Amino acid sequence: MLRTFEATVIAALCLSCLPAQSNDIPTLDVHPVCRGIASQSELEVGLQRTNFEQCLQSEQAVRDEVRSTFSTADKTHCVALAKTGGESSYTELLTCMEMARDVRKRHSDANSLSEQNIPSAPAGHRQPTSR
């Protein structure tokens, strides 16, 4: 009986150490962010409530977009940042992943230009492009 319990505890600990699957986006508590957005508006209380609910719906839509669009590496990096503290939002997570994707693309584009033996532009001038 004790051995079964020990094995169960060890198995649970090992499983909790495994990395999340690529499509696993954490459940963020976006209520504080949406409450802050709604309370900063100069709307009447009823309209603030509507604004709060629209914010929650928008965050859910962004969460669905984040789940399906980005690479595992971008998700892993940005989810770690989102969990570091403070008020998190899926919009912030999406922005992080878009920036990571765009930086990777720029690096890739720069590498392809250097492979074409195009000399670097002088300081203050635009980089020439291949035709």
Side-chain angles (χ1 to χ4, degrees):
M1 178 75 170
L2 186 56
R3 288 215 183 267
T4 303
F5 176 74
E6 289 173 349
T8 303
V9 169
I10 290 171
L13 289 173
C14 289
L15 288 175
S16 68
C17 295
L18 293 175
Q21 293 179 358
S22 64
N23 288 335
D24 286 351
I25 298 298
T27 301
L28 301 176
D29 182 9
V30 296
H31 287 84
V33 170
C34 288
R35 227 182 328 275
I37 290 170
S39 69
Q40 289 178 3
S41 67
E42 296 180 7
L43 300 172
E44 297 174 12
V45 175
L47 293 175
Q48 283 183 355
R49 179 71 187 161
T50 300
N51 200 13
F52 173 76
E53 291 168 1
Q54 289 172 339
C55 177
L56 292 178
Q57 291 171 353
S58 174
E59 286 293 319
Q60 183 58 47
V62 171
R63 183 179 196 271
D64 294 340
E65 183 179 347
V66 165
R67 177 180 283 153
S68 62
T69 310
F70 295 92
S71 73
T72 302
D74 293 345
K75 287 179 187 177
T76 302
H77 170 73
C78 292
V79 165
L81 288 176
K83 288 181 166 184
T84 58
E87 295 177 353
S88 299
S89 74
Y90 295 108
T91 303
E92 180 181 21
L93 190 58
L94 175 64
T95 302
C96 176
M97 288 192 263
E98 287 173 337
M99 289 172 39
R101 177 199 60 209
D102 294 348
V103 165
R104 187 175 26 268
K105 183 178 182 332
R106 295 212 64 177
H107 282 239
S108 174
D109 291 348
N111 288 340
S112 70
L113 281 178
S114 67
E115 290 172 4
Q116 296 174 10
N117 295 324
I118 297 174
S120 296
H125 296 338
R126 289 185 47 210
Q127 178 69 27
T129 58
S130 61
R131 295 181 183 184

